[in-house]
Every structure is written in C-alpha cells, then in structure tokens.
Amino acid sequence: MFIAIDDLRPEIGAYGSKIAITPNLDKFASQGLQFNNAYCQQAICGPSRASVLTGIRPETSGVFHNYIKFREVNPKVITLPQHFMQHGYETVYTGKIFHHGDLDEQSWSRLAAIDSMTSKGIKNPVGFALKKNNQERAETRKEMVAKYGKVAKYGLASGIAYEAADVSDDTYKDGYNTTLAIATMNDLLAKNNQKPFFLGVGYNKPHLNWVAPKKYWDLYDRNDIALALQKEAPQNGATMGLHPSFELRVRSGIPKKGDIDEELAITLKHAYLACVSYVDAQVGKMIRGLEEAGIRDNTIIIIWSDHGFHLGEMGIWGKATNYEIATRVPLLIWTPNMPKGSRGKTTDALVELVDIYPTLSDFAGIETPAHVEGTSFKPLIDNPKVTWKTAAFSQFPTPALREWGAFPLRPAMRETYFGPLLKDVEKRIKKQLGEKWDRELFENNLMGYAMRTEQYRLIVWKDRANPEKEPVFIEVYDHKNDALESINIAENSPELVAQLMKQFNKGWKGNLPSK
C-alpha cells in the first residue's frame, strides 16, 4: 500500500508538531519506522513525483517543472508500479499518485472500482462544496481571462484559498478516493485473493486550495495557532532563492503584493491544519479497511509526502525552494516482518524519496532496475542506527523568477498583477549580485543545488548551460546552531565552504552508504 500525500511537511504529532491533530499517522508511526531526515529531490509536485516513481533524479531525467511529462523525456523508463506489474502484481491507484496529466496507463494493470461508488449512490467529489465559492471562482476566471488572455488559464484564478463546509468526507476528493480505494482493494481480493497487489492511494490535501469538512476545522482553536518563528529571509541568503508566494497569491482574497497580515495568516494555517487532520482521518480509514480485509499482516505500507511547505517561514507561503522547510518530508514505513526492535522507532539517517523505488523492490524480492538512482533503505529498517548516507540532494531552478510549478516565466505573466512583484525581485537580485545579473541565466538556466549533510545545508547556484563556470552564489546553513536557516555563513567560512564543495562535487554517488 503506497500512500502519497501532497504538500505535507512534517506537521504531525509524531514529528513533534505541538498543534497538529493526527492520531492515525501518529499511531502508524508508533507501529513502524519514522524517518526524521527524509528529503525530496525537488520541492514541487511534478518533478518530485517523477523522481519517486521512476527512480531517476531531476538532474538526470530533465523533469524540472510541472509541465514536462516524464514519458516525453524518458519514454522507455520502467516506473515503480510498472515494475511490480511486470513481476506479477495487480497495480491500481486512486487519487493523486503521478502529477496531474501524468496518468501513465503503462503503469497500471486495471482501473479503480468506480462502478462501486456509482452503485452506492456516492457522487463525484467537488473542488468547492459551497455555491458561493463556485460562483466566485467562475466569475474570477472570466474576469482574469478577459483581462489577461490565455496566460490567465495557468492558475491566475484558482478560487478562494480555503473552505470549511459542513459536509461528509466523501464530498471532497480525499474522502471519496479513500472509499474508492477500499472498494478497489476488496474487488481485487474478491477476484483473486492470491495475486499480490500494488495499491496507490494519493491524497490531494493539504495542497491548496485548503478545503476540508468543517468538523476538521473544529478540532482547532485559532487562539492556539502559533505563526512562524522566522518570518524574514535568511540573512545574507540568495535573493533568488525565495519567491513572492505566487501559488497562494493567485487565490481570491489574498493580497497580490505585500505581507499577509496576522489574522489572515492564522486563518490560512488553520486551514492547512484542518486539511492535515482530514487526510489523517482518511489514512486511518484506509488502514482499518486493510485490517478488516484481513491482510494487514501481509502488506507493506509506506506513507510519504512529495515535499514540504512554507507557512510564513522566511516570509513566504508555498513550496518551491531549496530550504529545509520545503525539502524535508514525513516518511513512514511498516512491514510485516520488520524486527520488533525497529517498531515504533525513529532514525536520523539521511534518506531521499528516490530511495523508495529500490526499497520496495528489495522488500518484494524483486531486482531493482539498473536505471534507478536511489538506495534501498531496507538495512535501516533492520537497524535504524546503522551508518548511512553522508548527504541528501535536492534542487530547484531560480524560485524567485519562475512561475508556480517551476515553469519558466511566460512574457505575458509580466503583464499581470505579478509584474510589480517580479520587478521588485529583479531589483533585489541585481543589488546583491551586480554584474552577475543576466536575464537569460536567471530566468532559464540558473539551478540551485542543495546538499543536506548531518550538520549543514549547502546550496550552490550554478549555470546549467555552462557547468564548468564557478558558482554564481553559495549558501551554507549550520543546523547545529541555526535550525531555522536564518543566517548564511558561507562568506565568513571559506574553509567550511571548500570542504562542503569537495563533498558536493562527489555527487550523490559519492555520498552513498559504505558497503
């Protein structure tokens, strides 16, 4: 059972959240192994999911933004579910597994049991349950298209950022897809209970828009919701490393420039938390369905998120950065035969989402394809304290000068209400980097490469078109003394930079566990 969650940072009780109400995920963590230092390969949906499901890192695959289908650039790649299908598994999914548009029929042996939902009278899920919110979104889209033309269709009018409607869980996608996943699983068992299956269950929340049934909002008192401790950009940090919260600002009711005021910020975090609790309830329902089917003790369960999310940290809202808050993710696994000494434990080992492919293959006794660039972390489940990787790697192209989804700026986007934000960002980049400024470089070719070691985060900004050139900028954050990544110490730490760059230049292959 392959459970993917969208935009979930480690904001659950098991990871130390003081407010998130997540009893089901916490219970699961108490039964399996929790990875405290798991990192995505790029903090945006499409590239992250492509790397997990193909086992190929973005730098190799060329999937850097949400508008590249992984099959277009890697047509013959064998995906994780496809690999299992080729080894006798029934493979099927509900919800969001690949990024939208990457449904990839080659990966799945059958469709979900949608007829079971129809027969039960369960209606298709909705984006918004309230009529006023649907009307508002339709009117805003009409207005944006009339004003800006085709470019408005790329998310400029996504509706209100949140909704709390007194509706059933099945009204929205995640509740619906959980019921569908359980029905599909039972259908698989009814048709052939001896055939193994790979069931992908994908949750859309807590991705914007933050819509969840009212009962999950009611779990929280807004007076108890604390906002981000660090609301400023890192001191001496890369000005191109933070974006102007594009993804949130396209929502109705959100200021198109300037700060998010405290009252609105509390509401937004409340909305995020409500969605986290909503998904938590669905995970619990899914696992109970597995238990009621009598197959929990013969099923590997893995739960992961595609990337983290800034909720005001560093002054921004959204994913799409190379910092800890965007790249660190929750990762939990339970296997029937894991040692008792590993159950309910945590590991501080550095792992990457690209490691999921070889790990599941390892547990299933299937040989991992040669193209896979991850490392099975099965040894960590046998011994959570075993010496492991010396670094984890992520990357992201110039967050400040990319659209949401990491897509290069369309010229027409400068004519929208994002124009002033982009001019402000450019002004700050030019002030910091002077003669290094070049529009073609910064908008299209500049890549931020992040390396996370046990103590440090190194971010190297390089020209991908001219890799032999010296880095445009370097950031170093000391997690032993600065867990919030508030001060870039690179300029005053030349020896440390040289040491980390030596390690960085070895690449992911040079930072693998010793055999």
Side-chain angles (χ1 to χ4, degrees), residues 350 387-393 451-454 503 510-513:
L350 292 163
T387 301
W388 205 240
K389 292 183 182 183
T390 49
F393 293 84
M451 180 181 75
R452 179 64 157 90
T453 69
E454 181 181 0
Q503 183 177 356
N511 285 275
L512 297 178

Side-chain angles (χ1 to χ4, degrees), residues 2 41 46-63 70-71 74 76-83 98 107 304 352-361 368-376 389 508-509 512:
F2 184 79
Q41 275 45 78
S48 178
R49 289 167 184 266
S51 67
V52 173
L53 290 151
T54 66
I56 309 174
R57 297 168 188 267
E59 189 66 12
T60 303
S61 71
V63 180
F70 74 87
R71 286 282 181 204
N74 302 276
K76 296 182 179 180
V77 70
I78 299 171
T79 68
L80 174 59
Q82 185 180 7
H83 184 49
F98 289 99
S107 292
W304 59 281
E352 302 168 281
L353 290 186
V354 76
D355 298 334
I356 290 176
Y357 193 139
T359 300
L360 296 183
S361 298
T368 301
H371 76 267
V372 172
E373 297 180 327
T375 303
S376 170
K389 292 183 182 183
W508 64 269
K509 291 181 180 179
L512 297 178

Side-chain angles (χ1 to χ4, degrees), residues 66-223:
N66 282 349
Y67 295 87
I68 302 176
K69 288 185 166 66
F70 74 87
R71 286 282 181 204
E72 292 176 356
V73 287
N74 302 276
K76 296 182 179 180
V77 70
I78 299 171
T79 68
L80 174 59
Q82 185 180 7
H83 184 49
F84 272 71
M85 181 172 61
Q86 290 177 352
H87 285 82
Y89 280 69
E90 197 81 80
T91 60
V92 62
Y93 77 98
T94 70
K96 185 177 179 181
I97 299 297
F98 289 99
H99 186 57
H100 303 306
D102 260 338
L103 302 181
D104 198 52
E105 294 180 0
Q106 298 177 54
S107 292
W108 312 105
S109 63
R110 57 160 286 173
L111 297 175
I114 296 176
D115 54 341
S116 68
M117 305 295 279
T118 306
S119 65
K120 294 175 185 175
I122 300 175
K123 297 180 180 179
N124 289 335
V126 299
F128 291 114
L130 301 179
K131 184 177 180 180
K132 64 176 184 178
N133 289 337
N134 281 302
Q135 289 178 334
E136 190 279 335
R137 179 174 58 182
E139 291 170 2
T140 304
R141 282 182 177 175
K142 185 177 180 180
E143 177 188 345
M144 290 294 101
V145 171
K147 191 171 185 179
Y148 299 122
K150 291 182 180 180
V151 73
K153 297 179 181 179
Y154 294 100
L156 282 189
S158 297
I160 194 166
Y162 53 86
E163 179 179 89
D166 192 5
V167 295
S168 69
D169 286 10
D170 286 349
T171 301
Y172 298 122
K173 289 180 180 179
D174 289 339
Y176 176 94
N177 284 322
T178 302
T179 301
L180 177 58
I182 293 171
T184 301
M185 177 184 66
N186 289 331
D187 189 53
L188 288 168
L189 296 172
K191 289 178 177 175
N192 186 349
N193 63 8
Q194 297 302 307
K195 187 172 185 178
F197 64 74
F198 180 106
L199 175 58
V201 186
Y203 292 114
N204 286 267
K205 302 303 150 194
H207 190 292
L208 283 162
N209 299 322
W210 291 319
V211 300
K214 182 176 178 295
K215 63 183 177 182
Y216 298 107
W217 288 72
D218 292 344
L219 294 173
Y220 299 93
D221 182 340
R222 66 180 285 122
N223 294 317

Side-chain angles (χ1 to χ4, degrees), residues 457-482:
R457 172 171 295 275
L458 170 74
I459 304 175
V460 184
W461 295 93
K462 288 180 68 71
D463 181 355
R464 284 194 78 248
N466 298 282
E468 73 285 351
K469 287 187 176 180
E470 288 296 308
V472 173
F473 196 80
I474 292 176
E475 299 175 79
V476 176
Y477 299 94
D478 181 354
H479 273 257
K480 184 177 180 180
N481 300 300
D482 180 22

Side-chain angles (χ1 to χ4, degrees), residues 9 11 17-20 161-162 206 208 210 216-217 220-222 224-229 231 248 254 260-277 309-313 317 325:
R9 67 195 210 167
E11 191 74 49
S17 174
K18 296 179 180 179
I19 189 168
Y162 53 86
L208 283 162
W210 291 319
Y216 298 107
W217 288 72
Y220 299 93
D221 182 340
R222 66 180 285 122
D224 296 332
I225 297 174
L227 298 178
L229 293 175
K231 300 178 184 178
L248 178 63
I254 306 299
I260 305 297
D261 68 59
E262 186 171 314
E263 284 299 304
L264 178 56
I266 290 173
T267 298
L268 294 174
K269 189 165 183 181
H270 188 177
Y272 183 89
L273 289 166
C275 288
V276 171
S277 292
F309 202 90
H310 292 252
L311 293 171
E313 287 86 3
W317 294 75
I325 200 73

Side-chain angles (χ1 to χ4, degrees), residues 211-422:
V211 300
K214 182 176 178 295
K215 63 183 177 182
Y216 298 107
W217 288 72
D218 292 344
L219 294 173
Y220 299 93
D221 182 340
R222 66 180 285 122
N223 294 317
D224 296 332
I225 297 174
L227 298 178
L229 293 175
Q230 183 205 347
K231 300 178 184 178
E232 303 298 326
Q235 183 179 330
N236 302 321
T239 49
M240 61 275 193
L242 293 169
H243 51 74
S245 306
F246 288 134
E247 185 181 9
L248 178 63
R249 293 189 192 275
V250 298
R251 269 69 191 180
S252 301
I254 306 299
K256 303 310 175 196
K257 62 180 180 179
D259 296 331
I260 305 297
D261 68 59
E262 186 171 314
E263 284 299 304
L264 178 56
I266 290 173
T267 298
L268 294 174
K269 189 165 183 181
H270 188 177
Y272 183 89
L273 289 166
C275 288
V276 171
S277 292
Y278 173 44
V279 166
D280 176 80
Q282 307 319 305
V283 171
K285 183 179 178 182
M286 190 71 242
I287 293 175
R288 285 192 297 275
L290 193 69
E291 292 169 344
E292 290 168 3
I295 57 171
R296 167 73 188 264
D297 291 336
N298 192 35
T299 305
I300 296 164
I301 306 171
I302 189 165
I303 302 175
W304 59 281
S305 169
D306 55 0
H307 44 70
F309 202 90
H310 292 252
L311 293 171
E313 287 86 3
M314 299 184 177
I316 70 166
W317 294 75
K319 52 259 191 185
T321 76
N322 278 306
Y323 297 110
E324 185 84 358
I325 200 73
T327 58
R328 181 171 171 255
V329 299
L331 175 63
L332 306 164
I333 192 169
W334 182 90
T335 72
N337 299 319
M338 65 190 301
K340 289 184 179 179
S342 299
R343 296 184 186 276
K345 296 296 191 293
T346 64
T347 176
D348 291 330
L350 292 163
V351 296
E352 302 168 281
L353 290 186
V354 76
D355 298 334
I356 290 176
Y357 193 139
T359 300
L360 296 183
S361 298
D362 202 355
F363 271 111
I366 301 171
E367 185 177 356
T368 301
H371 76 267
V372 172
E373 297 180 327
T375 303
S376 170
F377 49 68
K378 185 175 182 290
L380 285 167
I381 296 166
D382 296 331
N383 178 8
K385 296 187 181 298
V386 71
T387 301
W388 205 240
K389 292 183 182 183
T390 49
F393 293 84
S394 307
Q395 61 189 100
F396 206 96
T398 334
L401 294 175
R402 289 265 171 154
E403 297 174 16
W404 47 98
F407 193 74
L409 281 168
R410 298 173 178 87
M413 201 60 72
R414 293 183 174 279
E415 305 303 318
T416 71
Y417 49 73
F418 285 124
L421 290 172
L422 292 166

